Amino acid sequence: VRVIVRVCACDCVRVIVCVPSLCEDLLSSVDQPLKIARDKVVGKDYLLCDYNRDGDSYRCSTEYRDLYFEGGVSSVYLWDLDHGFAGVILIKKAGDGSKKIKGCWDSIHVVEVQVRAGAPLPVQTGINNVNCFYLPNLGNMDMENKIRSTLNEIYFGKTKDIVNGLRSIESLPDNQKYRQLQRELSQVLTQRQIYID
Amino acid sequence: SADFPSQATGDVRIAANFVTHAPPGEFNEVFNDVRLLLNNDNLLREGAAHAFAQYNMDQFTPVKLDGSEESVLITEHGDLGQGRFFDPRKRVSFRFDHLRKEASDPQPYEGETALRSWRDACDEALSAYVKEHYPTGVCTVYGKTVDGQQTIIACIEGHQFQPKNFWNGRCRSEWKFTISQSSAQVVGVLKIQVHYYEDGNVQLVSHKEVEESIVVTNETQTAKEFVKIIENAENDYQTAISENYQTMSDTTFKALRRQLPVTRTKIDWNKILSYKIGKEMQNA
């Protein structure tokens, strides 16, 4: 049995070929799979995206990445704003290709931190590392866990339910059973609600 | 066909490609979007007409003839050319509008009379099977000579379109065997496609090829064996897909991103923070 997960990124290119004027709008609103590049000086991989700026890169807290992804590549790019800073956190993990299954997880987290004038600064002794102060707040924004649960339970669960609504392994001897199946399917599908705050 | 400059020809080929890959139940949406992008209705209509026909034949699009309770499938096997198809059960040919998906102008069509009894027996057995397993299923069975071999071709289609709930799905299967000799191979292709796009975008696209041997005796007995092979294979396929979901959840997905760290507890960010500050104080 072959099951293929569709990749729609290449369709972007086809649309741009037809209508070149849409190029910028399309590329800024559709996320492409993250590309990996190699920093030969340090000997480490990093990820490419719109926000890359030469000389502004910062290595992400690898503790988080390794605990959740057991490997993978991550990059963080931060830049100053008038009243704070913003950043993008990129994570890419490809499956190891074992057991005839291919997969890839790409995360793009965009963050903006506003520092209000007069707010108390973290107490640090001779260290200039403001980023550490914000780490617990950024780390606790548990978007990835929610999305991962949603993917597992709702998206995959729902497509499986739809397949089982198209065909029944058990016999449907009469109309009554068919109507019952329809009712059950409707119930199951309405129960699977999505909650993303 | 009209003469178009090469840029336009390339664009219409891309447009046609988008249309042929529209998920089940979403042809109109893709067509309307492509129409806006291309901004040249004449070009689209003439350059992509083959794509609309190809799409309907690939998808086993069901259509009801006027005054009929039953549907017939649009497939390559029923293609008579010039926009006409035939219904082997009703023995009728008709004109099919690929954009409106409507049938018109029915005419009598006899098909291959030598294969009629075999075709009818297989159709009867298969229709009973489809009623038992497909809530919204349709089947069409052809008896045709293909490459000199007398062949039975059975097509099954079932779909559910629920765009208001942001999902569409369709399964199709095509089964063939020849009746010229007492021993034959039944060859089947099974396909499933599901698209779920509520606050996201997930597609399942799957297919499987099957081959089983069959003994060809008389019409009724052979039809019964044929349908038994189909039933077993399609049950196995559906079971395998459910099992794949479980495997995907337990292993692959987990290999991409775990739900919890290996420690089975969420990260304590304050601990990491104090460790980091501590380390930097040591190094300062």
Side-chain angles (χ1 to χ4, degrees), chain A residues 70-125:
Chain A
E70 295 178 84
V73 181
S74 56
S75 297
V76 175
Y77 304 105
L78 304 173
W79 57 94
D80 290 316
L81 297 176
D82 286 340
H83 299 288
F85 66 94
V88 62
I89 301 154
L90 309 172
I91 301 173
K92 187 177 185 84
K93 170 77 195 282
D96 58 8
S98 63
K99 296 197 180 117
K100 299 183 192 172
I101 303 173
K102 269 167 81 164
C104 183
W105 177 287
D106 279 5
S107 295
I108 302 171
H109 297 271
V110 182
V111 146
E112 187 181 298
V113 180
Q114 289 185 356
V115 182
R116 254 176 277 137
L121 284 173
V123 175
Q124 297 175 72
T125 318

Side-chain angles (χ1 to χ4, degrees), chain B residues 234-277:
Chain B
E234 295 189 348
N235 280 349
D236 287 348
Y237 180 49
Q238 193 173 344
T239 306
I241 287 186
S242 286
E243 283 171 0
N244 258 351
Y245 272 111
Q246 203 50 50
T247 305
M248 191 161 56
S249 176
D250 292 342
T251 52
T252 327
F253 203 29
K254 204 162 157 188
L256 290 180
R257 190 197 188 281
R258 305 181 64 92
Q259 202 129 11
L260 281 177
V262 197
T263 53
R264 292 182 190 273
T265 52
K266 284 196 178 179
I267 288 183
D268 184 335
W269 287 99
N270 286 308
K271 220 192 266 162
I272 288 184
L273 172 62
S274 30
Y275 172 73
K276 267 185 123 56
I277 291 183

Side-chain angles (χ1 to χ4, degrees), chain A residues 29-65:
Chain A
S29 60
V30 177
D31 289 317
Q32 305 287 326
L34 296 172
K35 290 204 176 67
I36 301 178
R38 186 122 187 121
D39 181 342
K40 295 206 179 86
V41 175
V42 187
K44 284 200 172 174
D45 288 332
Y46 65 98
L47 295 169
L48 304 173
C49 74
D50 242 11
Y51 299 100
N52 277 32
R53 297 220 196 308
D54 282 345
D56 278 4
S57 72
Y58 175 83
R59 302 247 172 260
C60 155
S61 164
T62 50
E63 285 90 350
Y64 173 84
R65 193 199 69 209

